[in-house]
Amino acid sequence: MTRSNPLVAIYPGSFDPVTLGHEDIARRALRFADRVVVAVARAATQAKRPFFSLSERLEMLEEVFGDEDRIECDSFEGLLVDYARARDIRFVIRGLRAVSDFEYEFQMAQMNRELYSDFETIFLVPNVDYSFLSASLVREVAVLGGDVSPFISPSVLRRFEEKLGAEGVG
Ligand code: PNS
Protein backbone atom coordinates (compact mmCIF):
# COMPACT_ATOMS: atom_id res chain seq x y z
CA MET A 1 0.00 0.00 0.00
CA THR A 2 1.32 3.45 -0.84
CA ARG A 3 0.37 6.69 0.90
CA SER A 4 0.19 9.99 -0.91
CA ASN A 5 0.18 12.17 2.22
CA PRO A 6 2.93 12.02 4.80
CA LEU A 7 1.80 10.48 8.06
CA VAL A 8 2.22 13.09 10.78
CA ALA A 9 1.66 12.18 14.43
CA ILE A 10 1.61 14.34 17.51
CA TYR A 11 3.26 13.24 20.73
CA PRO A 12 1.88 15.56 23.42
CA GLY A 13 2.83 15.78 27.06
CA SER A 14 3.91 17.93 29.96
CA PHE A 15 7.56 16.94 29.44
CA ASP A 16 8.50 18.36 32.84
CA PRO A 17 11.19 17.36 31.97
CA VAL A 18 11.60 15.16 28.90
CA THR A 19 13.05 11.78 30.02
CA LEU A 20 14.80 9.00 28.14
CA GLY A 21 11.44 7.22 28.19
CA HIS A 22 9.79 10.07 26.26
CA GLU A 23 12.72 10.13 23.87
CA ASP A 24 12.35 6.40 23.27
CA ILE A 25 8.63 6.74 22.46
CA ALA A 26 9.10 9.68 20.06
CA ARG A 27 11.87 7.89 18.17
CA ARG A 28 9.86 4.65 18.07
CA ALA A 29 6.97 6.57 16.47
CA LEU A 30 9.27 7.45 13.56
CA ARG A 31 9.22 3.76 12.63
CA PHE A 32 5.79 4.29 11.10
CA ALA A 33 5.23 8.06 11.05
CA ASP A 34 6.95 10.29 8.51
CA ARG A 35 7.08 13.14 11.01
CA VAL A 36 6.39 13.51 14.70
CA VAL A 37 5.42 16.76 16.37
CA VAL A 38 6.46 16.61 20.03
CA ALA A 39 4.16 19.16 21.61
CA VAL A 40 4.47 20.42 25.14
CA ALA A 41 1.24 21.46 26.82
CA ARG A 42 1.41 24.81 28.58
CA ALA A 43 -0.04 23.24 31.73
CA ALA A 44 -1.66 19.83 31.98
CA THR A 45 -4.21 21.29 34.37
CA GLN A 46 -4.60 24.74 35.86
CA ALA A 47 -3.86 23.29 39.29
CA LYS A 48 -0.44 21.85 38.45
CA ARG A 49 2.44 24.31 38.49
CA PRO A 50 5.27 22.89 36.39
CA PHE A 51 8.82 22.59 37.74
CA PHE A 52 10.33 23.84 34.46
CA SER A 53 8.77 26.77 32.63
CA LEU A 54 7.14 26.23 29.25
CA SER A 55 10.12 27.78 27.44
CA GLU A 56 12.59 25.64 29.40
CA ARG A 57 10.61 22.48 28.60
CA LEU A 58 10.51 23.39 24.92
CA GLU A 59 14.22 24.23 24.82
CA MET A 60 15.06 20.87 26.41
CA LEU A 61 12.96 19.06 23.79
CA GLU A 62 14.74 20.96 21.03
CA GLU A 63 18.12 20.01 22.48
CA VAL A 64 17.20 16.35 22.88
CA PHE A 65 15.70 15.97 19.39
CA GLY A 66 18.07 18.37 17.61
CA ASP A 67 19.64 15.44 15.73
CA GLU A 68 16.37 14.30 14.14
CA ASP A 69 14.95 16.31 11.21
CA ARG A 70 11.70 14.39 11.28
CA ILE A 71 10.88 15.52 14.82
CA GLU A 72 9.47 18.99 15.31
CA CYS A 73 9.09 20.46 18.78
CA ASP A 74 6.32 22.91 19.58
CA SER A 75 4.06 24.01 22.41
CA PHE A 76 0.33 24.53 22.63
CA GLU A 77 -2.23 26.09 24.89
CA GLY A 78 -5.77 24.86 25.37
CA LEU A 79 -7.14 21.62 24.01
CA LEU A 80 -4.86 19.16 22.25
CA VAL A 81 -7.59 18.41 19.71
CA ASP A 82 -7.86 22.10 18.74
CA TYR A 83 -4.14 22.30 18.12
CA ALA A 84 -4.15 19.00 16.19
CA ARG A 85 -7.19 19.92 14.10
CA ALA A 86 -5.70 23.32 13.22
CA ARG A 87 -2.64 21.50 11.87
CA ASP A 88 -4.65 18.67 10.30
CA ILE A 89 -2.91 16.07 12.47
CA ARG A 90 -4.98 12.90 12.96
CA PHE A 91 -2.75 10.64 15.00
CA VAL A 92 -1.69 11.05 18.59
CA ILE A 93 1.04 8.97 20.23
CA ARG A 94 0.97 8.07 23.90
CA GLY A 95 3.31 5.81 25.80
CA LEU A 96 1.87 3.00 27.92
CA ARG A 97 4.28 1.84 30.60
CA ALA A 98 2.06 -0.40 32.69
CA VAL A 99 -1.55 -1.39 33.26
CA SER A 100 -1.76 1.46 35.76
CA ASP A 101 -1.43 3.97 32.90
CA PHE A 102 -4.27 2.41 31.00
CA GLU A 103 -7.36 3.86 32.67
CA TYR A 104 -6.28 7.49 32.37
CA GLU A 105 -5.00 6.98 28.85
CA PHE A 106 -8.17 5.20 27.78
CA GLN A 107 -10.34 8.02 29.14
CA MET A 108 -8.22 10.63 27.41
CA ALA A 109 -8.30 8.72 24.12
CA GLN A 110 -12.09 8.40 24.24
CA MET A 111 -12.60 12.04 25.20
CA ASN A 112 -10.27 13.23 22.46
CA ARG A 113 -12.19 11.13 19.95
CA GLU A 114 -15.49 12.61 21.18
CA LEU A 115 -14.05 16.05 20.54
CA TYR A 116 -12.37 15.22 17.20
CA SER A 117 -13.81 12.12 15.58
CA ASP A 118 -10.92 11.69 13.11
CA PHE A 119 -8.33 11.62 15.88
CA GLU A 120 -6.75 8.19 16.46
CA THR A 121 -4.69 7.40 19.54
CA ILE A 122 -1.75 5.07 19.05
CA PHE A 123 -0.23 3.55 22.18
CA LEU A 124 3.42 2.61 22.14
CA VAL A 125 5.24 0.53 24.73
CA PRO A 126 8.63 1.87 25.80
CA ASN A 127 11.85 -0.06 26.09
CA VAL A 128 11.59 -2.17 29.26
CA ASP A 129 14.48 -0.17 30.76
CA TYR A 130 12.13 2.84 30.94
CA SER A 131 8.95 1.06 31.99
CA PHE A 132 9.19 2.43 35.56
CA LEU A 133 10.30 5.92 34.57
CA SER A 134 8.20 9.05 34.97
CA ALA A 135 9.04 12.73 34.86
CA SER A 136 7.49 13.22 38.30
CA LEU A 137 9.75 10.56 39.86
CA VAL A 138 12.78 12.06 38.13
CA ARG A 139 11.89 15.50 39.55
CA GLU A 140 11.41 14.10 43.03
CA VAL A 141 14.69 12.17 43.01
CA ALA A 142 16.58 15.19 41.60
CA VAL A 143 15.13 17.63 44.13
CA LEU A 144 15.98 15.26 46.99
CA GLY A 145 19.59 14.95 45.81
CA GLY A 146 19.53 11.56 44.05
CA ASP A 147 21.36 10.70 40.84
CA VAL A 148 19.02 11.08 37.88
CA SER A 149 21.71 10.88 35.19
CA PRO A 150 20.61 7.37 34.04
CA PHE A 151 17.11 8.66 33.23
CA ILE A 152 17.59 11.92 31.34
CA SER A 153 19.83 13.26 28.61
CA PRO A 154 22.93 15.29 29.57
CA SER A 155 21.30 18.55 28.46
CA VAL A 156 18.34 17.95 30.79
CA LEU A 157 20.75 17.07 33.60
CA ARG A 158 22.45 20.44 33.06
CA ARG A 159 19.08 22.20 33.45
CA PHE A 160 18.52 20.47 36.78
CA GLU A 161 22.01 21.47 37.88
CA GLU A 162 21.32 25.09 36.95
CA LYS A 163 18.05 25.08 38.89
CA LEU A 164 19.12 23.10 41.92
CA GLY A 165 22.87 23.74 42.13
CA ALA A 166 25.42 21.20 40.98
CA GLU A 167 25.23 18.85 43.98
CA GLY A 168 23.14 15.76 43.99
CA VAL A 169 21.71 15.53 40.48
CA GLY A 170 24.39 13.63 38.61
O1 PNS B 1 2.63 14.15 30.14
P1 PNS B 1 1.19 14.14 30.55
O2 PNS B 1 0.97 15.08 31.71
O3 PNS B 1 0.67 12.76 30.81
O4 PNS B 1 0.37 14.72 29.30
C1 PNS B 1 -1.00 14.98 29.40
C2 PNS B 1 -1.45 15.87 28.23
C3 PNS B 1 -0.64 17.16 28.22
C4 PNS B 1 -1.23 15.13 26.92
C5 PNS B 1 -2.95 16.16 28.41
O5 PNS B 1 -3.17 16.66 29.70
C6 PNS B 1 -3.47 17.13 27.38
O6 PNS B 1 -3.72 16.75 26.26
N1 PNS B 1 -3.57 18.43 27.77
C7 PNS B 1 -4.05 19.47 26.91
C8 PNS B 1 -5.45 19.89 27.33
C9 PNS B 1 -6.47 18.89 26.82
O7 PNS B 1 -6.65 18.68 25.64
N2 PNS B 1 -7.18 18.24 27.78
C10 PNS B 1 -8.19 17.26 27.48
C11 PNS B 1 -7.58 15.86 27.37
S1 PNS B 1 -8.82 14.64 27.02
Short mmCIF file of all heavy atoms in Angstrom, two decimals, residues 90-147:
data_model
loop_
_atom_site.label_atom_id
_atom_site.label_comp_id
_atom_site.label_asym_id
_atom_site.label_seq_id
_atom_site.Cartn_x
_atom_site.Cartn_y
_atom_site.Cartn_z
N ARG A 90 -3.93 13.86 12.58
CA ARG A 90 -4.98 12.90 12.96
C ARG A 90 -4.52 11.76 13.84
O ARG A 90 -5.30 10.87 14.16
CB ARG A 90 -5.60 12.31 11.69
CG ARG A 90 -6.45 13.32 10.95
CD ARG A 90 -6.33 13.15 9.47
NE ARG A 90 -6.80 14.35 8.79
CZ ARG A 90 -7.92 14.39 8.11
NH1 ARG A 90 -8.65 13.33 7.98
NH2 ARG A 90 -8.29 15.51 7.53
N PHE A 91 -3.26 11.74 14.17
CA PHE A 91 -2.75 10.64 15.00
C PHE A 91 -2.03 11.20 16.22
O PHE A 91 -1.23 12.12 16.09
CB PHE A 91 -1.78 9.76 14.20
CG PHE A 91 -2.43 9.11 13.01
CD1 PHE A 91 -2.31 9.69 11.75
CD2 PHE A 91 -3.18 7.95 13.16
CE1 PHE A 91 -2.94 9.11 10.65
CE2 PHE A 91 -3.80 7.37 12.07
CZ PHE A 91 -3.68 7.95 10.82
N VAL A 92 -2.36 10.64 17.36
CA VAL A 92 -1.69 11.05 18.59
C VAL A 92 -1.00 9.84 19.20
O VAL A 92 -1.57 8.74 19.23
CB VAL A 92 -2.67 11.74 19.58
CG1 VAL A 92 -3.88 10.91 19.90
CG2 VAL A 92 -1.94 12.12 20.87
N ILE A 93 0.22 10.04 19.62
CA ILE A 93 1.04 8.97 20.23
C ILE A 93 1.02 9.15 21.73
O ILE A 93 1.21 10.26 22.24
CB ILE A 93 2.52 9.11 19.78
CG1 ILE A 93 2.66 9.18 18.26
CG2 ILE A 93 3.37 8.01 20.40
CD1 ILE A 93 2.31 7.93 17.55
N ARG A 94 0.80 8.05 22.44
CA ARG A 94 0.97 8.07 23.90
C ARG A 94 1.74 6.82 24.29
O ARG A 94 1.57 5.76 23.69
CB ARG A 94 -0.40 8.09 24.61
CG ARG A 94 -1.18 9.37 24.39
CD ARG A 94 -0.61 10.56 25.11
NE ARG A 94 -0.75 10.44 26.55
CZ ARG A 94 -0.16 11.30 27.40
NH1 ARG A 94 0.60 12.28 26.97
NH2 ARG A 94 -0.33 11.13 28.69
N GLY A 95 2.57 6.96 25.30
CA GLY A 95 3.31 5.81 25.80
C GLY A 95 2.51 5.11 26.88
O GLY A 95 1.88 5.76 27.71
N LEU A 96 2.54 3.79 26.86
CA LEU A 96 1.87 3.00 27.92
C LEU A 96 2.95 2.20 28.62
O LEU A 96 3.55 1.30 28.03
CB LEU A 96 0.89 2.01 27.31
CG LEU A 96 -0.57 2.36 27.18
CD1 LEU A 96 -1.35 1.10 26.80
CD2 LEU A 96 -1.15 2.99 28.41
N ARG A 97 3.20 2.53 29.89
CA ARG A 97 4.28 1.84 30.60
C ARG A 97 3.77 0.59 31.31
O ARG A 97 4.43 -0.42 31.38
CB ARG A 97 4.90 2.78 31.64
CG ARG A 97 5.71 3.89 31.03
CD ARG A 97 5.94 4.98 32.02
NE ARG A 97 4.67 5.51 32.50
CZ ARG A 97 4.54 6.60 33.22
NH1 ARG A 97 5.59 7.28 33.59
NH2 ARG A 97 3.35 7.03 33.59
N ALA A 98 2.58 0.71 31.87
CA ALA A 98 2.06 -0.40 32.69
C ALA A 98 0.54 -0.32 32.67
O ALA A 98 -0.04 0.66 32.21
CB ALA A 98 2.57 -0.24 34.12
N VAL A 99 -0.08 -1.35 33.22
CA VAL A 99 -1.55 -1.39 33.26
C VAL A 99 -2.08 -0.17 34.00
O VAL A 99 -3.13 0.39 33.66
CB VAL A 99 -2.02 -2.68 33.96
CG1 VAL A 99 -3.54 -2.74 34.04
CG2 VAL A 99 -1.49 -3.89 33.24
N SER A 100 -1.32 0.31 34.97
CA SER A 100 -1.76 1.46 35.76
C SER A 100 -1.94 2.72 34.91
O SER A 100 -2.71 3.61 35.26
CB SER A 100 -0.78 1.73 36.90
OG SER A 100 0.52 1.79 36.38
N ASP A 101 -1.25 2.82 33.79
CA ASP A 101 -1.43 3.97 32.90
C ASP A 101 -2.74 3.88 32.13
O ASP A 101 -3.23 4.88 31.61
CB ASP A 101 -0.32 4.01 31.83
CG ASP A 101 0.99 4.55 32.36
OD1 ASP A 101 0.98 5.19 33.42
OD2 ASP A 101 2.02 4.32 31.70
N PHE A 102 -3.26 2.66 32.01
CA PHE A 102 -4.27 2.41 31.00
C PHE A 102 -5.57 3.21 31.21
O PHE A 102 -6.11 3.79 30.26
CB PHE A 102 -4.59 0.91 30.89
CG PHE A 102 -5.56 0.63 29.79
CD1 PHE A 102 -5.15 0.64 28.46
CD2 PHE A 102 -6.90 0.39 30.08
CE1 PHE A 102 -6.04 0.41 27.44
CE2 PHE A 102 -7.81 0.17 29.06
CZ PHE A 102 -7.37 0.17 27.73
N GLU A 103 -6.04 3.26 32.44
CA GLU A 103 -7.36 3.86 32.67
C GLU A 103 -7.37 5.34 32.25
O GLU A 103 -8.25 5.78 31.51
CB GLU A 103 -7.76 3.71 34.13
CG GLU A 103 -9.23 4.01 34.32
CD GLU A 103 -9.75 3.58 35.67
OE1 GLU A 103 -9.13 2.71 36.31
OE2 GLU A 103 -10.78 4.15 36.07
N TYR A 104 -6.38 6.07 32.72
CA TYR A 104 -6.28 7.49 32.37
C TYR A 104 -6.10 7.67 30.87
O TYR A 104 -6.77 8.51 30.24
CB TYR A 104 -5.09 8.07 33.15
CG TYR A 104 -4.63 9.45 32.76
CD1 TYR A 104 -5.46 10.56 32.91
CD2 TYR A 104 -3.33 9.67 32.27
CE1 TYR A 104 -5.02 11.82 32.57
CE2 TYR A 104 -2.88 10.93 31.94
CZ TYR A 104 -3.73 12.01 32.08
OH TYR A 104 -3.28 13.26 31.74
N GLU A 105 -5.25 6.85 30.28
CA GLU A 105 -5.00 6.98 28.85
C GLU A 105 -6.24 6.63 28.03
O GLU A 105 -6.52 7.27 27.02
CB GLU A 105 -3.82 6.07 28.44
CG GLU A 105 -2.49 6.50 29.03
CD GLU A 105 -2.04 7.89 28.56
OE1 GLU A 105 -2.46 8.33 27.48
OE2 GLU A 105 -1.27 8.53 29.29
N PHE A 106 -6.95 5.62 28.49
CA PHE A 106 -8.17 5.20 27.78
C PHE A 106 -9.22 6.31 27.83
O PHE A 106 -9.85 6.64 26.82
CB PHE A 106 -8.69 3.91 28.43
CG PHE A 106 -9.85 3.30 27.73
CD1 PHE A 106 -9.69 2.64 26.52
CD2 PHE A 106 -11.13 3.37 28.28
CE1 PHE A 106 -10.77 2.07 25.87
CE2 PHE A 106 -12.21 2.80 27.63
CZ PHE A 106 -12.04 2.15 26.42
N GLN A 107 -9.37 6.92 29.00
CA GLN A 107 -10.34 8.02 29.14
C GLN A 107 -9.96 9.18 28.23
O GLN A 107 -10.80 9.78 27.56
CB GLN A 107 -10.38 8.53 30.59
CG GLN A 107 -11.09 7.59 31.53
CD GLN A 107 -11.00 8.07 32.97
OE1 GLN A 107 -10.18 8.92 33.32
NE2 GLN A 107 -11.85 7.54 33.80
N MET A 108 -8.66 9.50 28.23
CA MET A 108 -8.22 10.63 27.41
C MET A 108 -8.44 10.33 25.93
O MET A 108 -8.90 11.19 25.18
CB MET A 108 -6.73 10.90 27.69
CG MET A 108 -6.50 12.35 27.87
SD MET A 108 -4.90 12.82 28.52
CE MET A 108 -3.75 11.62 28.06
N ALA A 109 -8.13 9.10 25.52
CA ALA A 109 -8.30 8.72 24.12
C ALA A 109 -9.77 8.83 23.71
O ALA A 109 -10.09 9.35 22.63
CB ALA A 109 -7.79 7.30 23.90
N GLN A 110 -10.65 8.35 24.58
CA GLN A 110 -12.09 8.40 24.24
C GLN A 110 -12.59 9.84 24.20
O GLN A 110 -13.37 10.21 23.33
CB GLN A 110 -12.91 7.59 25.26
CG GLN A 110 -12.63 6.10 25.23
CD GLN A 110 -13.17 5.41 23.97
OE1 GLN A 110 -13.50 6.05 22.99
NE2 GLN A 110 -13.24 4.11 24.01
N MET A 111 -12.16 10.64 25.18
CA MET A 111 -12.60 12.04 25.20
C MET A 111 -12.08 12.79 23.98
O MET A 111 -12.82 13.54 23.32
CB MET A 111 -12.11 12.72 26.50
CG MET A 111 -12.45 14.19 26.58
SD MET A 111 -14.23 14.51 26.49
CE MET A 111 -14.69 14.20 28.18
N ASN A 112 -10.82 12.56 23.64
CA ASN A 112 -10.27 13.23 22.46
C ASN A 112 -11.03 12.83 21.20
O ASN A 112 -11.29 13.66 20.33
CB ASN A 112 -8.77 12.90 22.31
CG ASN A 112 -7.92 13.75 23.24
OD1 ASN A 112 -8.29 14.87 23.60
ND2 ASN A 112 -6.78 13.22 23.64
N ARG A 113 -11.45 11.57 21.13
CA ARG A 113 -12.19 11.13 19.95
C ARG A 113 -13.61 11.73 19.92
O ARG A 113 -14.14 12.02 18.86
CB ARG A 113 -12.24 9.62 19.87
CG ARG A 113 -12.83 9.17 18.56
CD ARG A 113 -13.06 7.70 18.55
NE ARG A 113 -11.85 6.99 18.16
CZ ARG A 113 -11.64 5.72 18.50
NH1 ARG A 113 -12.50 5.06 19.21
NH2 ARG A 113 -10.55 5.11 18.10
N GLU A 114 -14.19 11.92 21.12
CA GLU A 114 -15.49 12.61 21.18
C GLU A 114 -15.37 14.01 20.60
O GLU A 114 -16.27 14.51 19.94
CB GLU A 114 -15.96 12.74 22.64
CG GLU A 114 -16.53 11.49 23.25
CD GLU A 114 -17.81 11.05 22.56
OE1 GLU A 114 -18.69 11.91 22.36
OE2 GLU A 114 -17.93 9.87 22.21
N LEU A 115 -14.24 14.65 20.92
CA LEU A 115 -14.05 16.05 20.54
C LEU A 115 -13.58 16.21 19.09
O LEU A 115 -13.76 17.26 18.48
CB LEU A 115 -13.01 16.71 21.47
CG LEU A 115 -13.38 16.76 22.96
CD1 LEU A 115 -12.17 17.18 23.80
CD2 LEU A 115 -14.55 17.70 23.21
N TYR A 116 -12.96 15.15 18.55
CA TYR A 116 -12.37 15.22 17.20
C TYR A 116 -12.45 13.79 16.66
O TYR A 116 -11.58 12.97 16.94
CB TYR A 116 -10.93 15.73 17.34
CG TYR A 116 -10.09 15.86 16.09
CD1 TYR A 116 -10.61 15.79 14.79
CD2 TYR A 116 -8.71 16.09 16.20
CE1 TYR A 116 -9.79 15.93 13.68
CE2 TYR A 116 -7.88 16.24 15.09
CZ TYR A 116 -8.44 16.15 13.84
OH TYR A 116 -7.62 16.29 12.74
N SER A 117 -13.50 13.52 15.90
CA SER A 117 -13.81 12.12 15.58
C SER A 117 -12.74 11.46 14.70
O SER A 117 -12.62 10.25 14.67
CB SER A 117 -15.19 12.02 14.94
OG SER A 117 -15.21 12.79 13.77
N ASP A 118 -11.96 12.27 13.98
CA ASP A 118 -10.92 11.69 13.11
C ASP A 118 -9.61 11.43 13.83
O ASP A 118 -8.63 11.04 13.20
CB ASP A 118 -10.61 12.65 11.95
CG ASP A 118 -11.75 12.69 10.95
OD1 ASP A 118 -12.51 11.72 10.89
OD2 ASP A 118 -11.87 13.70 10.24
N PHE A 119 -9.59 11.68 15.13
CA PHE A 119 -8.33 11.62 15.88
C PHE A 119 -8.12 10.20 16.41
O PHE A 119 -8.94 9.70 17.19
CB PHE A 119 -8.45 12.60 17.05
CG PHE A 119 -7.16 13.19 17.55
CD1 PHE A 119 -6.17 13.61 16.69
CD2 PHE A 119 -6.97 13.37 18.91
CE1 PHE A 119 -5.00 14.19 17.17
CE2 PHE A 119 -5.81 13.95 19.40
CZ PHE A 119 -4.83 14.37 18.52
N GLU A 120 -7.04 9.56 16.00
CA GLU A 120 -6.75 8.19 16.46
C GLU A 120 -5.59 8.20 17.44
O GLU A 120 -4.54 8.79 17.15
CB GLU A 120 -6.37 7.29 15.27
CG GLU A 120 -7.49 7.01 14.30
CD GLU A 120 -8.68 6.27 14.92
OE1 GLU A 120 -8.51 5.63 15.98
OE2 GLU A 120 -9.76 6.36 14.34
N THR A 121 -5.78 7.52 18.56
CA THR A 121 -4.69 7.40 19.54
C THR A 121 -3.92 6.11 19.29
O THR A 121 -4.52 5.05 19.15
CB THR A 121 -5.26 7.39 20.97
OG1 THR A 121 -6.01 8.60 21.17
CG2 THR A 121 -4.16 7.31 22.01
N ILE A 122 -2.62 6.24 19.24
CA ILE A 122 -1.75 5.07 19.05
C ILE A 122 -0.88 4.93 20.30
O ILE A 122 -0.15 5.86 20.67
CB ILE A 122 -0.85 5.26 17.81
CG1 ILE A 122 -1.72 5.41 16.56
CG2 ILE A 122 0.13 4.10 17.67
CD1 ILE A 122 -0.95 5.86 15.34
N PHE A 123 -1.02 3.79 20.97
CA PHE A 123 -0.23 3.55 22.18
C PHE A 123 1.04 2.80 21.83
O PHE A 123 0.99 1.79 21.13
CB PHE A 123 -1.04 2.73 23.19
CG PHE A 123 -2.22 3.48 23.74
CD1 PHE A 123 -3.52 3.06 23.48
CD2 PHE A 123 -2.04 4.61 24.53
CE1 PHE A 123 -4.61 3.76 23.99
CE2 PHE A 123 -3.12 5.31 25.04
CZ PHE A 123 -4.40 4.89 24.77
N LEU A 124 2.14 3.29 22.35
CA LEU A 124 3.42 2.61 22.14
C LEU A 124 3.99 2.20 23.50
O LEU A 124 3.83 2.91 24.49
CB LEU A 124 4.42 3.53 21.44
CG LEU A 124 4.06 3.92 20.00
CD1 LEU A 124 5.18 4.78 19.41
CD2 LEU A 124 3.84 2.70 19.13
N VAL A 125 4.65 1.07 23.50
CA VAL A 125 5.24 0.53 24.73
C VAL A 125 6.72 0.88 24.72
O VAL A 125 7.41 0.61 23.74
CB VAL A 125 5.02 -1.00 24.77
CG1 VAL A 125 5.72 -1.61 25.96
CG2 VAL A 125 3.53 -1.31 24.81
N PRO A 126 7.22 1.48 25.80
CA PRO A 126 8.63 1.87 25.80
C PRO A 126 9.55 0.67 25.98
O PRO A 126 9.12 -0.41 26.40
CB PRO A 126 8.74 2.79 27.01
CG PRO A 126 7.67 2.34 27.94
CD PRO A 126 6.55 1.82 27.06
N ASN A 127 10.81 0.90 25.73
CA ASN A 127 11.85 -0.06 26.09
C ASN A 127 11.66 -0.43 27.56
O ASN A 127 11.39 0.44 28.39
CB ASN A 127 13.20 0.63 25.87
CG ASN A 127 14.36 -0.29 26.11
OD1 ASN A 127 14.46 -0.93 27.15
ND2 ASN A 127 15.24 -0.37 25.13
N VAL A 128 11.84 -1.70 27.88
CA VAL A 128 11.59 -2.17 29.26
C VAL A 128 12.45 -1.41 30.28
O VAL A 128 12.03 -1.20 31.43
CB VAL A 128 11.78 -3.70 29.34
CG1 VAL A 128 13.24 -4.09 29.16
CG2 VAL A 128 11.22 -4.26 30.63
N ASP A 129 13.60 -0.93 29.85
CA ASP A 129 14.48 -0.17 30.76
C ASP A 129 13.79 1.09 31.29
O ASP A 129 14.18 1.63 32.32
CB ASP A 129 15.76 0.28 30.05
CG ASP A 129 16.63 -0.89 29.67
OD1 ASP A 129 16.37 -2.00 30.16
OD2 ASP A 129 17.56 -0.70 28.87
N TYR A 130 12.78 1.59 30.55
CA TYR A 130 12.13 2.84 30.94
C TYR A 130 10.71 2.61 31.45
O TYR A 130 9.95 3.55 31.63
CB TYR A 130 12.09 3.81 29.75
CG TYR A 130 13.45 4.02 29.12
CD1 TYR A 130 13.63 3.90 27.76
CD2 TYR A 130 14.55 4.34 29.91
CE1 TYR A 130 14.88 4.08 27.18
CE2 TYR A 130 15.80 4.52 29.34
CZ TYR A 130 15.95 4.38 27.98
OH TYR A 130 17.19 4.56 27.42
N SER A 131 10.35 1.35 31.69
CA SER A 131 8.95 1.06 31.99
C SER A 131 8.54 1.58 33.37
O SER A 131 7.36 1.68 33.67
CB SER A 131 8.67 -0.44 31.87
OG SER A 131 9.58 -1.13 32.67
N PHE A 132 9.50 1.92 34.22
CA PHE A 132 9.19 2.43 35.56
C PHE A 132 9.37 3.95 35.63
O PHE A 132 9.14 4.56 36.67
CB PHE A 132 10.13 1.78 36.59
CG PHE A 132 11.56 2.18 36.34
CD1 PHE A 132 12.13 3.24 37.03
CD2 PHE A 132 12.32 1.54 35.37
CE1 PHE A 132 13.43 3.64 36.77
CE2 PHE A 132 13.61 1.95 35.10
CZ PHE A 132 14.17 2.99 35.80
N LEU A 133 9.82 4.53 34.54
CA LEU A 133 10.30 5.92 34.57
C LEU A 133 9.17 6.92 34.38
O LEU A 133 8.32 6.74 33.51
CB LEU A 133 11.31 6.06 33.42
CG LEU A 133 12.21 7.28 33.38
CD1 LEU A 133 12.97 7.41 34.68
CD2 LEU A 133 13.18 7.13 32.21
N SER A 134 9.15 7.96 35.21
CA SER A 134 8.20 9.05 34.97
C SER A 134 8.90 10.36 35.29
O SER A 134 9.83 10.41 36.11
CB SER A 134 6.96 8.89 35.85
OG SER A 134 7.29 9.17 37.20
N ALA A 135 8.43 11.42 34.63
CA ALA A 135 9.04 12.73 34.86
C ALA A 135 8.86 13.14 36.32
O ALA A 135 9.75 13.75 36.91
CB ALA A 135 8.41 13.76 33.92
N SER A 136 7.73 12.79 36.91
CA SER A 136 7.49 13.22 38.30
C SER A 136 8.46 12.53 39.26
O SER A 136 8.98 13.16 40.18
CB SER A 136 6.03 12.98 38.71
OG SER A 136 5.71 11.64 38.55
N LEU A 137 8.77 11.25 39.01
CA LEU A 137 9.75 10.56 39.86
C LEU A 137 11.14 11.15 39.66
O LEU A 137 11.90 11.33 40.62
CB LEU A 137 9.78 9.07 39.54
CG LEU A 137 8.81 8.18 40.30
CD1 LEU A 137 9.07 6.71 39.95
CD2 LEU A 137 8.95 8.36 41.81
N VAL A 138 11.47 11.45 38.41
CA VAL A 138 12.78 12.06 38.13
C VAL A 138 12.91 13.39 38.87
O VAL A 138 13.92 13.67 39.52
CB VAL A 138 12.98 12.25 36.60
CG1 VAL A 138 14.19 13.13 36.31
CG2 VAL A 138 13.13 10.90 35.91
N ARG A 139 11.86 14.20 38.84
CA ARG A 139 11.89 15.50 39.55
C ARG A 139 12.09 15.28 41.04
O ARG A 139 12.90 15.94 41.68
CB ARG A 139 10.56 16.24 39.36
CG ARG A 139 10.38 16.87 38.02
CD ARG A 139 9.25 17.89 38.04
NE ARG A 139 7.99 17.43 38.59
CZ ARG A 139 7.01 16.82 37.91
NH1 ARG A 139 7.17 16.56 36.62
NH2 ARG A 139 5.89 16.46 38.49
N GLU A 140 11.33 14.34 41.58
CA GLU A 140 11.41 14.10 43.03
C GLU A 140 12.81 13.64 43.44
O GLU A 140 13.39 14.16 44.40
CB GLU A 140 10.36 13.07 43.45
CG GLU A 140 10.35 12.84 44.95
CD GLU A 140 9.17 11.99 45.40
OE1 GLU A 140 8.10 12.03 44.74
OE2 GLU A 140 9.32 11.29 46.41
N VAL A 141 13.36 12.69 42.68
CA VAL A 141 14.69 12.17 43.01
C VAL A 141 15.73 13.29 42.88
O VAL A 141 16.60 13.46 43.74
CB VAL A 141 15.04 10.96 42.11
CG1 VAL A 141 16.48 10.52 42.28
CG2 VAL A 141 14.09 9.79 42.42
N ALA A 142 15.61 14.10 41.80
CA ALA A 142 16.58 15.19 41.60
C ALA A 142 16.51 16.21 42.73
O ALA A 142 17.53 16.61 43.29
CB ALA A 142 16.32 15.87 40.25
N VAL A 143 15.30 16.60 43.09
CA VAL A 143 15.13 17.63 44.13
C VAL A 143 15.66 17.13 45.47
O VAL A 143 16.23 17.89 46.26
CB VAL A 143 13.63 18.04 44.23
CG1 VAL A 143 13.35 18.83 45.49
CG2 VAL A 143 13.22 18.82 42.99
N LEU A 144 15.53 15.82 45.70
CA LEU A 144 15.98 15.26 46.99
C LEU A 144 17.45 14.81 46.94
O LEU A 144 17.93 14.15 47.85
CB LEU A 144 15.07 14.10 47.40
CG LEU A 144 13.62 14.52 47.67
CD1 LEU A 144 12.75 13.32 47.98
CD2 LEU A 144 13.54 15.54 48.80
N GLY A 145 18.14 15.16 45.85
CA GLY A 145 19.59 14.95 45.81
C GLY A 145 20.04 13.63 45.23
O GLY A 145 21.23 13.29 45.31
N GLY A 146 19.13 12.85 44.64
CA GLY A 146 19.53 11.56 44.05
C GLY A 146 20.11 11.74 42.65
O GLY A 146 19.99 12.80 42.04
N ASP A 147 20.73 10.67 42.17
CA ASP A 147 21.36 10.70 40.84
C ASP A 147 20.33 10.37 39.78
O ASP A 147 19.84 9.23 39.70
CB ASP A 147 22.50 9.67 40.83
CG ASP A 147 23.20 9.60 39.48
OD1 ASP A 147 22.93 10.47 38.62
OD2 ASP A 147 24.00 8.67 39.29
#
